[in-house]
Amino acid sequence: MFARFFEAFRAMDPNRRFLAVTTAIGLIAAVIVIGWWARHVTYGVLFSRLPAEEAGQIIDQLDQMKVSYRVSDGGSSILVPSSQVPDVRIRLAAAGLPRTGSVGFEIFDKTNLGMTDFLQKVNYRRALEGELAKSISSLREVAAARVHIVIPENRLFAQDQKPTTASVIVKVNSGSLDRGKVAAITHLVASAVEGLDASRVTVLDQSGNLLSAAQDDTFLGAASSRQLDIQKNVESYLQDKAQSLLDGVLGPRKAIVRVNATLNFEQAEKTVDQYDPDNLAIVSQEQTTEKTSDNSTDPEGGKSGGETTKENTVTNYEVNHTVQKIVSAMGTIQRLTVSVIVDGTYTKPEGATDDKPATFTPRSQEELDRIGALVKAAVGIVPDRNDHIEVVSVAFDNTGIQEEKKELEKLEKRQFYYDIAYKVGYGLAILAALFIGLKIIKKFMRFLGSLAEPRGPHLDVGSVPAIIDERAPAIMPERRKARLSDQMVQVAKDRPDEMARVIKTMMVD
């Protein structure tokens, strides 16, 4: 079989030899790629940053579970097939691995007889730290967390008692935690530990940056930064309101609004005690009536009888008294200053070309007043507060925008042609590959068919086969009879004497 194959391969012309070798190599490469793809397995991280002892225990458990694995990062990371990661983690967790994670209140699941009170307190603190670390790590922005709590011993006197403190180290997924998240972590820890104040909780990130300093208002730098943030938020909020209003009325890039807010960060407490003498209220009223009678005799010997009545009224009034306790809020607006720049209108004469610049026309004062009234209503201008607004119509410099627009149009047009050329070229490449592939497959199948065809009767006469093999050109048409006849005709033309001798020998036999 192989001898026939090599014999036929040697009889081919160089082009067919190259085609056959290329096709065979392509088929072998395709089989190898398909086999590799079928056997290829994608591995995912099971656990990372493991100590050597813990990694060894997990690997032993994986060997018992008959799960394939890989080790990376110097043995600190273990990888298993991605499809098996959740199942393997659950099975390892049931076996109590890994043990280096945060330990919670499950530390008390095992009762240890004879444990001292000191060890009980230490285990309670460890359990509390582990539960808090789990709760903090459940936040979307936090990848991992560690909590350290210091609970001092109780003292006999209150003045000797030291406060409880805590520190939290968080590993942030990306960026940094905002103030709200830091405040939430601080109050979470403070609420979970007895006797812990939120001001005594320190929060750090993985880079060592102090995150909890901004929550302490007594820290002057943090307080100033917080006030600046509040001012920026107020200005940005008012500016966005006015800008969105003008963009809807005038169109985008037709107006620019800037707001400057002066805020009052002083917190004052005022008590107002007012008396209203015109508004009196009767608190109590007492009325006394006294009657007296006179039975004395007059000088003439007669009686002068009579009665005397006295009335006494006492009324107690209370003056209307009002006491007001007023606490001013921080961050109230003292004054607003608003600047509005409005673009005018542009007109081109009839018949002017695109290259000729348009004529700028500023907006009328009446229109500017209407725009100013809209902005006043949007940002809440208060005249009694000495607020100020300025609206001006000036020409905007749009040369850069026009150039960018032209460049963008060129890029879009160029990209459009590139896309068309790419799609056409890609389609032609696919068609050419299909055509060449079909042609190669067709020729290869024809070549295999020629190898499978049976050969004619072997002429064991003298040196005729040697003459045909060595000197006659190899003619391989599609049909076998035509090929043998052509060879015999060619030999008869080239060596008629030898052909005649062969024929005589055949006739004698």
Side-chain angles (χ1 to χ4, degrees):
M1 178 68 182
F2 289 103
R4 291 173 56 193
F5 176 79
F6 286 115
E7 186 178 336
F9 181 77
R10 207 181 312 166
M12 284 194 245
D13 57 354
N15 293 332
R16 291 191 176 184
R17 288 182 186 178
F18 177 75
L19 180 62
V21 172
T22 305
T23 305
I25 293 175
L27 290 176
I28 294 172
V31 171
I32 292 174
V33 170
I34 292 173
W36 176 84
W37 179 78
R39 296 172 60 87
H40 180 67
V41 179
T42 304
Y43 282 79
V45 178
L46 180 66
F47 297 110
S48 61
R49 294 177 302 187
L50 293 172
E53 181 181 357
E54 194 81 16
Q57 295 176 1
I58 293 175
I59 288 175
D60 293 340
Q61 191 69 24
L62 292 177
D63 291 335
Q64 296 178 7
M65 296 164 56
K66 296 181 179 179
V67 177
S68 60
Y69 62 88
R70 290 181 180 177
V71 179
S72 63
D73 297 337
S76 61
S77 297
I78 300 177
L79 293 82
V80 298
S82 300
S83 58
Q84 302 181 14
V85 170
D87 179 63
V88 174
R89 283 181 179 174
I90 293 174
R91 295 169 66 182
L92 289 176
L97 294 174
R99 297 187 178 90
T100 55
S102 300
V103 179
F105 283 104
E106 61 270 12
I107 195 173
F108 295 107
D109 293 342
K110 298 180 181 180
T111 58
N112 296 323
L113 298 177
M115 181 176 292
T116 62
D117 183 62
F118 174 75
L119 292 179
Q120 287 282 4
K121 292 180 179 179
V122 171
N123 286 340
Y124 173 75
R125 181 173 54 81
R126 288 179 57 196
L128 189 58
E129 291 174 351
E131 293 294 334
L132 287 173
K134 292 178 183 179
S135 300
I136 296 172
S137 300
S138 64
L139 296 177
R140 183 175 55 188
E141 295 84 356
V142 178
R146 293 196 65 184
V147 180
H148 304 279
I149 302 174
V150 178
I151 303 177
E153 296 290 338
N154 293 327
R155 301 293 181 179
L156 181 61
F157 298 101
Q159 60 268 22
D160 297 334
Q161 183 66 38
K162 295 182 180 180
T164 304
T165 58
S167 60
V168 182
I169 302 176
V170 295
K171 180 181 179 182
V172 185
N173 288 323
S174 60
S176 60
L177 292 176
D178 56 9
R179 297 177 183 272
K181 293 294 188 300
V182 175
I185 294 174
T186 301
H187 287 84
L188 172 67
V189 177
S191 301
V193 181
E194 182 181 1
L196 178 60
D197 189 75
S199 61
R200 299 189 179 277
V201 179
T202 304
V203 182
L204 288 81
D205 61 3
Q206 68 270 21
S207 301
N209 298 321
L210 184 62
L211 304 180
S212 58
Q215 308 301 320
D216 189 4
D217 292 337
T218 61
F219 187 66
L220 297 180
S224 301
S225 177
R226 183 182 179 187
Q227 293 175 4
L228 183 60
D229 291 340
I230 294 175
Q231 182 177 356
K232 287 181 179 179
N233 292 334
V234 172
E235 292 175 351
S236 177
Y237 172 71
L238 297 176
Q239 181 176 309
D240 291 342
K241 287 178 64 178
Q243 188 69 53
S244 61
L245 177 65
L246 295 181
D247 288 344
V249 175
L250 304 176
R253 296 184 178 180
K254 290 294 184 181
I256 300 174
V257 181
R258 293 293 181 266
V259 178
N260 182 23
T262 303
L263 305 182
N264 181 17
F265 293 101
E266 295 179 358
Q267 188 173 9
E269 183 177 343
K270 180 174 61 176
T271 302
V272 179
D273 196 354
Q274 295 179 346
Y275 294 90
D276 188 4
D278 297 332
N279 190 4
L280 301 179
I282 298 177
V283 177
S284 61
Q285 187 175 19
E286 181 181 356
Q287 185 175 5
T288 303
T289 304
E290 183 180 354
K291 295 182 178 180
T292 57
S293 57
D294 187 6
N295 295 326
S296 60
T297 58
D298 54 8
E300 296 178 356
K303 293 183 178 180
S304 58
E307 290 184 356
T308 304
T309 302
K310 294 182 180 179
E311 292 184 1
N312 187 17
T313 303
V314 179
T315 305
N316 296 322
Y317 295 93
E318 183 71 24
V319 179
N320 190 10
H321 183 205
T322 304
V323 178
Q324 294 181 350
K325 189 175 183 179
I326 302 173
V327 179
S328 61
M330 293 179 60
T332 57
I333 299 177
Q334 284 186 337
R335 188 170 184 267
L336 287 179
T337 304
V338 184
S339 302
V340 183
I341 302 175
V342 183
D343 196 6
T345 58
Y346 298 87
T347 57
K348 281 188 176 183
E350 295 183 0
T353 59
D354 295 337
D355 298 335
K356 187 176 181 180
T359 304
F360 170 75
T361 303
R363 297 183 183 271
S364 61
Q365 187 61 38
E366 182 181 358
E367 191 172 3
L368 294 178
D369 293 339
R370 290 201 300 268
I371 293 174
L374 291 175
V375 175
K376 286 181 181 180
V379 301
I381 294 293
V382 179
D384 297 338
R385 203 169 50 193
N386 199 19
D387 294 346
H388 180 69
I389 182 172
E390 188 73 24
V391 183
V392 181
S393 178
V394 297
F396 284 12
D397 185 9
N398 297 324
T399 55
I401 298 176
Q402 297 297 330
E403 292 178 359
E404 290 179 1
K405 186 177 180 181
K406 291 180 181 179
E407 291 294 331
L408 184 60
E409 290 177 354
K410 291 180 181 179
L411 290 176
E412 290 178 352
K413 193 177 294 184
R414 191 182 306 166
Q415 188 65 32
F416 175 74
Y417 291 134
Y418 282 165
D419 291 341
I420 293 177
Y422 174 76
K423 292 178 181 178
V424 171
Y426 190 72
L428 291 176
I430 293 176
L431 293 177
L434 291 176
F435 178 75
I436 295 174
L438 292 175
K439 201 168 183 180
I440 291 174
I441 293 173
K442 185 177 180 181
K443 289 184 178 181
F444 187 72
M445 296 301 294
R446 187 183 301 169
F447 168 69
L448 294 178
S450 65
L451 293 179
E453 291 180 356
R455 294 199 176 195
H458 183 66
L459 296 177
D460 191 10
V461 181
S463 61
V464 175
I467 295 173
I468 296 175
D469 290 340
E470 294 178 2
R471 301 180 182 182
I475 302 175
M476 299 180 63
E478 293 183 0
R479 296 185 179 181
R480 181 178 60 82
K481 292 181 180 180
R483 181 179 61 194
L484 294 176
S485 62
D486 291 342
Q487 290 179 352
M488 294 176 67
V489 170
Q490 186 67 27
V491 172
K493 289 181 179 181
D494 294 341
R495 297 175 178 81
D497 297 338
E498 295 180 1
M499 181 58 69
R501 187 170 63 252
V502 172
I503 293 173
K504 289 180 181 180
T505 304
M506 293 175 63
M507 292 176 64
V508 171
D509 293 338

